[in-house]
Amino acid sequence: MSGAALHPIRFVLSDMDGTLLHPDHRPSQRTLDSVRALRDAGVLFSLASGRPPKAMLHMIEAFGVDVPVAGFNGGTLINPDGSILVAHHLPAEAALVALALFSGEPDVEVWVFADGDWLRRDAPGPMEQREADGLGYGPKVVESFEPYLDRVDKIVAASQNTQLLVELEAQLQPKVQGLAQVSRSQPVYLDVTAMLANKGEALKTLAAHLGVPLEQTAAIGDGGNDPAMFHVAGFSIAMGQAEETVKRQADVVTGSNVEDGAAQAFERFILAPR
């Protein structure tokens, strides 16, 4: 909280799913209004998501975002028109290690994101429809991931067995140390991205691009991939439904996404002091 008090916030970087959006993947009117109020007050606003960039375009429009945003946990930064500003691909070596580990688990659906597409190799599982609902499109079925290994944006292990994903995260981290980032963007998703593909690096790059000192930035999110930007931002906010390990790394905790916690935080900590 002291960061917000000492340095008026000029730029907010926000997670999408579980933060700005309700469980039905839609923002409330209060959240839309609070973001509009930020922008009217001269505060720059952008999005950082594990989603592919093309699955963010609708929300870029809905929130009136007019600065670059971060997709794939920061792996790809795009301008509001969809053109690429920065792209970080997962090293093939790390991709092979992750695919080998995940493919041996029958309770895990393995997805690869490359060339702007969501790819799957195996039969559809129970998590696929959830992802399709969130992204707004379905996967492309391929016989092999091998042709895409030199340009992978993200690999996802998806499972309703959240404890299994915790264990896989612990197993994979040392295997790809120095090569890749491994984090659970949501309890049911384990993401593998390039080393520079994290929301902390995205915040640094976007703030520099916009000419805003880091002490005048704020970050808000709910997932295991969000503390990376909490540690960089001048002020950090965790959502009320976030895991305790995430909450402990933020300056303040707001309400849950179903309680419009993001709007609460924008109103209380950023707009009110102005």
Side-chain angles (χ1 to χ4, degrees), residues 183-250:
S183 63
R184 285 181 301 128
S185 56
Q186 296 184 44
V188 294
Y189 293 149
L190 179 60
D191 295 351
V192 186
T193 55
M195 281 299 296
L196 291 177
N198 68 79
K199 294 183 180 183
E201 290 296 329
L203 178 53
K204 291 178 187 177
T205 301
L206 292 174
H209 179 78
L210 297 169
V212 178
L214 287 173
E215 59 266 25
Q216 292 187 290
T217 66
I220 181 170
D222 72 308
N225 57 349
D226 292 319
M229 61 177 175
F230 292 175
H231 299 156
V232 171
F235 182 62
S236 55
I237 307 158
M239 298 297 292
Q241 83 281 2
E243 294 180 358
E244 287 302 316
T245 55
V246 173
K247 291 179 181 178
R248 286 197 294 268
Q249 297 178 74

